[in-house]
Amino acid sequence: MLTSAALTPSFKVPAKFPVGLDYGDAHLLIDLSERTITTAVFLESSNKITALEQYNYLPGTESVEKHIQDFLLTNDSVRKPYKATWICCSLPDAILFPEELHEFGLSENALNTICGNLHNSEVMTETIHPHGIVNVYRIPSGVYDLIASRFSEESCSHCYSVLLKSLKQRNDQEEAVMDLVFYPGRMMVALTINGKINLIQNISYNSSEEAIYYLLNVREQFSLDVNTLKVNLSGLLDSSSGLYDEICKYFFRADFAARPSEINYDAAFDEFPSHFFIPIFNLGLCVSLEVN
C-alpha cells in the first residue's frame, strides 16, 4: 500500500488488505487526528468492519494539515471506489451549544475566544440528535477543501458528534458515567449524569500527572462519588501504562470499554485489545445506524 513518506503504519488488521472486496458494498471510514490517521472498511450487507489501518505522524515532521492532505491524496486504499466515505475529524477545536441558544456568528466568536483565532480554517456546525446540541468545530482550510472536492462536505463529522451519537441511551436513574477516549498526548472526556451530557472536552497532557490532575478537578467540580462513578476507557491506552494505573487508583470503577455490539468485526480484531480502536468503531456504528 502506498503511504505518505511522513507516516508509518502502526496497526494493520488483518495483516493483508482484503482481496476481492466488493466496493459497491464497502464504506471507507477515516478518523483524522493531530498525531494519528485511522482507516477502516465497513461492509454494509454484513454490518461488519472487515479491515483497519492506523498511521502515526513521525515527530518533527510537517504540519497536521500537510500530513492529512498528503495522506488523503496518496494513500492507495483511500482512492478505491467505495460506495461512500465517512470522515471523523478528531481535532481539538470544538465547543457545544444547546440548540436553542445557537447562533452561527456568536458561536464562531465563542470558538475563537475559547480556542484561539486560527487563520485559514473552516468553521463547521453539526446538530446532534437526540441530545439537542449543536457542535461547532473547525478544521484547516486545506483539509476542508480536499474533503469537499473529493468526498463532499456532508461526509465529514467531528469526534464529539460521533461519541455522543454512539453512546447508548442511558436510564435517568443510572449513575454518572465518564467516557475517556485516548489519543497520543490527548484525551477526550465526556461526562453523562442522569442520562444528560454535562461535559465533553479535549484535554492535552504531557504526563500522567497532568491527566489525573484534570480528571480529579472534574470529579471535584461535579461532586462525583468515585465509588459509584463508572469510567469507560477506550482508545490508545495500555493496561501496563502508568496512566492506566493512576486512573484506577483514583477511580474505583474504571474499566476498558467494550467495542460496540451492534456491529460485527473480522476475526482478526480478536487478537487486539477491543478498546484500542473504539473511536473508529463508533464511527462504524454511526454509519450502520445511517444505512441499515
Side-chain angles (χ1 to χ4, degrees), residues 252-270:
F252 305 145
R253 294 188 63 201
D255 200 1
F256 289 116
R259 62 194 185 188
S261 60
E262 296 88 345
I263 55 178
N264 303 312
Y265 305 88
D266 187 273
F269 286 105
D270 296 339

Side-chain angles (χ1 to χ4, degrees), residues 66-134:
K66 179 64 171 63
H67 280 307
I68 293 175
Q69 288 177 301
D70 192 23
F71 184 88
L72 294 178
L73 287 170
T74 64
N75 185 270
D76 186 53
S77 67
V78 172
R79 296 183 291 178
K80 302 293 185 182
Y82 295 96
K83 183 174 183 178
T85 297
W86 308 75
I87 299 172
C88 177
C89 293
S90 295
L91 301 173
D93 291 350
I95 51 177
L96 302 179
F97 291 88
E99 190 172 6
E100 64 273 14
L101 299 179
H102 173 252
E103 293 183 25
F104 182 78
L106 294 177
S107 59
E108 183 176 6
N109 289 336
L111 180 66
N112 290 331
T113 300
I114 295 172
C115 301
N117 289 306
L118 180 64
H119 300 292
N120 299 319
S121 65
E122 298 292 331
V123 176
M124 314 282 286
T125 61
E126 186 175 4
T127 302
I128 308 170
H129 301 292
H131 299 283
I133 293 173
V134 177

